[in-house]
Amino acid sequence: MNRKLLSIGLMSTLTLLSSVNLYGYEIKGKIASSLSGVDGKYVYILPIGAKGLNEVIDSAKISNNSFILSGADKGEMMCRLFIQDMAPGKTYSPSFLLEKGNLVATLDTFSYVNGTPENDAFSALMKKVEDTQTKLSAIPKDADTDKKYEEIIKELNGEAYKYILANPTKLTAAKLFTDLRYDLTEAEQEEILAVADAKFMSFPGVSSIKEHLEVLKNVAPGKKFIDFEMADSEGKLHKISEYIGKGKVVLLDFWASWCGPCMREVPSIKKIYDKYKDKGFEIVGISFDNKKENWMKARTDKNMNWIHLSDIKGWKSLAAPMYGVNSIPCTLLIDKDGTILQRNIFGDELEGKLAELLK
């Protein structure tokens, strides 16, 4: 071959290799012009799950609201971009998969990173989430719109669930899984974990979800309640076995005065309690408050005239890990002999079940 043609061919090949960045990552970023005063500051890459800024992977100086980050291939990891003096996780701080290839970051009131198939799919789903949340925020939330509101959220969560289940080997799916842990049913979580690979399982927070599901098996319907001791408002200690397994159907109710959904459930619970308290029904409320005065005030203001216990430790309450409670309100309906019948039962469903049990 002619040496000149060989040289030209070699240069073309090297140019092509450079353009696709086979040996590392490159992120070309643009920051919205509406965000002023960022020139001269730095953009950072921080792994999700990092314990401090000392774990920053890379940084680049911003010029004309633009930046370029590049480096050697570090393998796949979920990261965030964030701007100096702006907290990670807020606006202008997208999460993305740092991987080998050429990426494009757009930092705006909705921020995203594109350029590889996985980042493209992830950012498209995040855009749908953002658009839906913006739409919902404009809807006046009242009794007439609550149902429609919940239906839209359920549909959106369903799409995210499908993405996770279809991608059990991808870190973006693992990130969504940890984000949606409180919106997925236990059955859905089990289904996802059953097909997840080691990379998925290594994402921060996934192992704790698995551990939580193991705890729930100990307090699942059909199991006997687990006893514990806690103080009443006078400081006197009581075991919950004083009230459970003594011939009454008991609702073990985990709540707190600071929990809006808990407080919204009170009128319904009170109505049901007043109807069935003389027919063999009792409620044992376990508060996750961390201030006794708030706990007492809520009970008085709402006339919650059933049994109440608390160790005033908030989420550090000894009952939380014992019963796998990581969100409230949370209830367990327990039969007369101390057998757990159902978890997270409220409103009409609770009343219907009591009507069946306390004929």
Side-chain angles (χ1 to χ4, degrees):
M1 179 183 280
N2 183 293
R3 287 187 177 182
K4 186 174 181 180
L5 291 176
L6 179 61
S7 177
I8 291 171
L10 182 59
M11 288 177 65
S12 297
T13 301
L14 289 173
T15 300
L16 178 60
L17 288 173
S18 175
S19 67
V20 296
N21 198 13
L22 291 177
Y23 300 106
Y25 66 87
E26 180 181 80
I27 306 172
K28 291 183 177 179
K30 187 68 178 175
I31 303 170
S33 57
S34 57
L35 185 63
S36 60
V38 294
D39 274 11
K41 293 186 176 182
Y42 284 81
V43 172
Y44 300 96
I45 302 176
L46 184 69
I48 289 176
K51 293 180 169 53
L53 298 184
N54 60 315
E55 297 184 48
V56 162
I57 290 173
D58 199 359
S59 64
K61 196 172 185 178
I62 301 168
S63 177
N64 295 320
N65 277 52
S66 301
F67 59 90
I68 297 178
L69 291 149
S70 63
D73 179 23
K74 300 180 183 301
E76 294 183 352
M77 64 178 80
M78 286 301 294
C79 295
R80 284 194 188 281
L81 291 176
F82 72 98
I83 300 170
Q84 182 181 353
D85 300 328
M86 294 182 70
K90 304 296 183 182
T91 307
Y92 304 99
S93 180
S95 56
F96 71 103
L97 181 69
L98 181 65
E99 58 181 329
K100 184 168 61 178
N102 294 322
L103 301 173
V104 178
T106 301
L107 275 55
D108 204 334
T109 49
F110 171 66
S111 300
Y112 56 95
V113 176
N114 281 343
T116 60
E118 186 167 354
N119 277 302
D120 290 349
F122 183 63
S123 63
L125 183 58
M126 292 298 95
K127 183 65 167 72
K128 188 160 190 177
V129 170
E130 175 74 12
D131 289 345
T132 302
Q133 289 177 339
T134 300
K135 180 181 176 182
L136 290 174
S137 66
I139 299 175
K141 201 166 185 296
D142 53 40
D144 295 329
T145 61
D146 269 2
K147 188 174 181 181
K148 183 64 177 175
Y149 192 98
E150 289 171 4
E151 286 174 356
I152 294 172
I153 291 292
K154 186 177 180 180
E155 182 181 350
L156 186 64
N157 286 342
E159 287 194 39
Y161 163 67
K162 289 177 184 176
Y163 179 90
I164 299 166
L165 194 59
N167 296 284
T169 64
K170 297 188 182 301
L171 291 176
T172 52
K175 169 69 166 57
L176 275 175
F177 181 57
T178 58
D179 287 347
L180 290 177
R181 64 182 299 174
Y182 302 118
D183 299 297
L184 296 171
T185 66
E186 292 159 27
E188 288 170 338
Q189 292 178 37
E190 292 276 14
E191 186 179 11
I192 290 165
L193 291 174
V195 295
D197 73 351
K199 182 169 66 175
F200 187 107
M201 294 300 300
S202 70
F203 186 79
V206 172
S207 61
S208 66
I209 295 175
K210 184 177 181 181
E211 290 166 7
H212 176 249
L213 290 172
E214 290 300 316
V215 170
L216 292 180
K217 291 176 183 177
N218 297 325
V219 286
K223 297 282 188 177
K224 292 289 185 178
F225 78 99
I226 299 173
D227 204 5
F228 62 85
E229 191 174 59
M230 202 167 278
D232 61 20
S233 58
E234 303 298 321
K236 183 179 178 181
L237 292 173
H238 297 270
K239 289 187 175 181
I240 61 169
S241 55
E242 293 177 32
Y243 317 107
I244 300 174
K246 302 296 185 183
K248 286 189 174 185
V249 175
V250 176
L251 186 73
L252 191 59
D253 178 28
F254 299 95
W255 69 287
S257 66
W258 47 260
C259 168
C262 300
M263 292 296 92
R264 287 194 290 274
E265 282 292 328
V266 171
S268 172
I269 292 177
K270 180 166 174 52
K271 177 184 173 184
I272 293 169
Y273 182 67
D274 290 343
K275 183 175 181 179
Y276 287 98
K277 65 181 181 180
D278 295 326
K279 299 179 181 180
F281 176 57
E282 187 56 84
I283 299 174
V284 177
I286 306 298
S287 171
F288 284 3
D289 276 287
N290 50 26
K291 291 184 179 180
K292 184 175 179 180
E293 57 269 29
N294 294 344
W295 173 42
M296 298 293 293
K297 186 176 187 304
R299 290 168 48 189
T300 301
D301 290 350
K302 298 289 185 177
N303 194 22
M304 300 163 69
N305 56 335
W306 46 85
I307 296 162
H308 289 277
L309 303 173
S310 181
D311 51 11
I312 316 295
K313 292 182 179 179
W315 282 111
K316 293 183 179 180
S317 170
L318 68 87
M322 192 177 294
Y323 275 84
V325 181
N326 59 8
S327 65
I328 51 176
C330 174
T331 62
L332 281 86
L333 188 64
I334 303 174
D335 209 351
K336 297 175 182 179
D337 64 352
T339 301
I340 297 169
L341 296 171
Q342 196 166 337
R343 188 181 182 96
N344 287 332
I345 182 169
F346 304 96
D348 293 341
E349 186 181 9
L350 173 60
E351 186 166 6
K353 188 67 176 178
L354 289 175
E356 174 189 325
L357 294 168
L358 301 174
K359 292 178 182 177

